[in-house]
Amino acid sequence: MTATSHRVSYHDTLRTLSEASVEQHFDAFVDIAWDDPAYAVDPRDERWVLPQADVLGSTEWYRSLPLERQIEVGLYRQANVTKVGLQFEQVLIAGLMNFAFALPNGSPEFRYATHEATEECHHTQMFQEFVNRAGVDVAGAPRLFRALGPFLPLAARRVPVGFFIGVLAGEEPIDHVQKAILRSGNEIHPLLGRIMQIHVAEEARHIGFAHQYVEHRAPRLRRHQRFVLALAFPVIMRWLADAILVPSRQARRDMGIPRSVVREVYWRRPESRQMLRDLFADVRMLAERAGLVNRASRVLWKLLKIEGRPSRFRSQPSSAAA
Ligand SMILES: [Fe+2]
Ligand SMILES: [Fe+2]
């Protein structure tokens, strides 16, 4: 593809994404029947038991808890993951505003970035409403992430490619886990099911945009910038994925998960390791395509235990799933 035709197709993709946002979007308080009795949150409901698709739910420890404890831990866990998701999205919205603030007139990214921020605002509202109705006072992300939260969005203006790598580091794991739960066929609470369904539908566009942006902009950076970003790439992925997937110290205490179980699940067990690696198949493909891989960065991917074969196309089923 020539440089001009590549640019044209980038612009076209962004326009298609924007038009899709106009055509299909959800409002947290229009598209969810919060007061439908079927959506009521009953803290003794067996549907709060964690599915196997949640690595914690698949442990011996969890499975051998009495049913009431499984329900209690399950509700807490699901509310906490939701809270972490919304905190991450708050950082994302602030970053999108910093990013759009610096864009010149006529920039192709302005419109889509703003559609994305609009959608994320609705996600934070629906997530917080769920947490409130779950009635558990969860803290969400680990302390370090919460402390850095107000500063991370500044990266969107200074190092936008790095920022969108961070966006993927959060969106890919959340999306992966939600899709696994929806596909598992387990009976999930209809309120949570509806929220996940809305989220998965809109995240597909957000993830598509971040991939496009990084792939289009990274090759246009200076060599030394690309070198540094290649090294930062796996570090950002692993740090943010841990912040989202691993329960914080507070959450572990609240759920009473023994330390040995935490160590096993995150990420010593072979199944957990495989899952961690599978989460990043699409971003490994992106790193290759965007020219953000070098010899030193390959070592980092490996040290951080997220190396592996890149996908050949986005959302290719993982080896484990196949
Ligand atoms: Fe979202
Ligand atoms: Fe998103």
Side-chain angles (χ1 to χ4, degrees):
M1 215 188 264
T2 65
T4 323
S5 69
H6 182 91
R7 194 164 51 236
V8 171
S9 84
Y10 175 66
H11 287 210
D12 282 346
T13 311
L14 265 49
R15 192 172 321 113
T16 308
L17 285 170
S18 294
E19 285 164 2
S21 285
V22 174
E23 231 156 76
Q24 186 215 38
H25 57 258
F26 301 90
D27 182 307
F29 295 101
V30 172
D31 296 301
I32 301 176
W34 293 101
D35 294 321
D36 182 334
Y39 281 3
V41 176
D42 172 359
R44 283 154 312 192
D45 193 328
E46 289 184 20
R47 290 173 299 186
W48 297 121
V49 170
L50 290 175
Q52 297 272 353
D54 181 315
V55 277
L56 186 63
S58 67
T59 56
E60 242 329 282
W61 168 77
Y62 182 76
R63 294 281 142 201
S64 56
L65 292 175
L67 183 61
E68 316 83 79
R69 277 289 293 151
Q70 286 193 21
I71 295 169
E72 201 183 336
V73 170
L75 181 58
Y76 184 103
R77 165 81 178 151
Q78 295 179 80
N80 198 58
V81 169
T82 306
K83 182 78 188 186
V84 181
L86 91 88
Q87 289 164 332
F88 173 81
E89 297 195 327
Q90 287 171 320
V91 169
L92 169 54
I93 295 161
L96 285 169
M97 288 304 113
N98 283 331
F99 171 70
F101 195 89
L103 292 174
N105 292 331
S107 136
E109 289 97 356
F110 178 87
R111 179 176 166 189
Y112 185 73
T114 310
H115 278 307
E116 181 167 322
T118 308
E119 291 166 9
E120 295 296 11
C121 281
H122 283 286
H123 297 176
T124 61
Q125 285 187 321
M126 74 177 178
F127 285 168
Q128 186 63 57
E129 187 64 21
F130 172 73
V131 172
N132 296 349
R133 285 172 188 247
V136 266
D137 188 21
V138 291
R143 259 217 197 121
L144 180 65
F145 181 86
R146 284 187 280 140
L148 295 178
F151 307 103
L152 296 173
L154 299 174
R157 189 166 176 178
R158 299 304 303 270
V159 266
V161 173
F163 176 76
F164 281 103
I165 291 172
V167 170
L168 285 172
E171 290 189 330
E172 293 266 11
I174 294 177
D175 191 57
H176 203 276
V177 171
Q178 290 184 334
K179 276 198 233 157
I181 292 174
L182 288 174
R183 281 185 196 138
S184 69
N186 285 29
E187 197 191 351
I188 45 176
H189 191 282
L191 176 58
L192 197 58
R194 177 71 181 140
I195 289 173
M196 283 189 190
Q197 184 193 28
I198 289 177
H199 201 244
V200 164
E202 296 196 321
E203 285 311 299
R205 292 194 291 263
H206 303 174
I207 293 173
F209 172 63
H211 273 262
Q212 283 290 323
Y213 182 80
V214 173
E215 198 176 325
H216 182 74
R217 296 289 173 195
R220 288 161 175 76
L221 296 172
R222 302 234 170 98
R223 256 182 92 161
H224 72 274
Q225 291 175 314
R226 273 207 310 274
F227 181 79
V228 175
L229 274 176
L231 296 181
F233 202 130
V235 179
I236 298 172
M237 283 296 145
R238 182 59 206 271
W239 175 52
L240 286 174
D242 274 353
I244 284 169
L245 297 170
V246 184
S248 66
R249 195 175 305 165
Q250 169 83 50
R252 291 188 316 241
R253 218 178 298 135
D254 290 348
M255 288 186 279
I257 315 172
R259 191 175 289 211
S260 59
V261 173
V262 173
R263 229 176 292 139
E264 271 297 293
V265 185
Y266 308 102
W267 304 91
R268 274 200 198 159
R269 288 191 316 175
E271 308 92 288
S272 298
R273 285 198 174 183
Q274 188 59 48
M275 182 205 138
L276 184 64
R277 274 195 296 267
D278 285 348
L279 290 178
F280 298 108
D282 286 3
V283 294
R284 285 192 295 264
M285 174 186 73
L286 173 65
E288 301 272 0
R289 283 192 184 167
L292 293 176
V293 180
N294 57 45
R295 220 185 276 163
S297 80
R298 274 187 216 284
V299 177
L300 280 177
W301 282 91
K302 205 163 182 177
L303 283 175
L304 293 163
K305 301 188 172 63
I306 50 177
E307 85 283 13
R309 224 185 301 153
S311 306
R312 275 174 292 133
F313 49 88
R314 279 213 296 122
S315 303
Q316 182 187 0
S318 64
S319 54

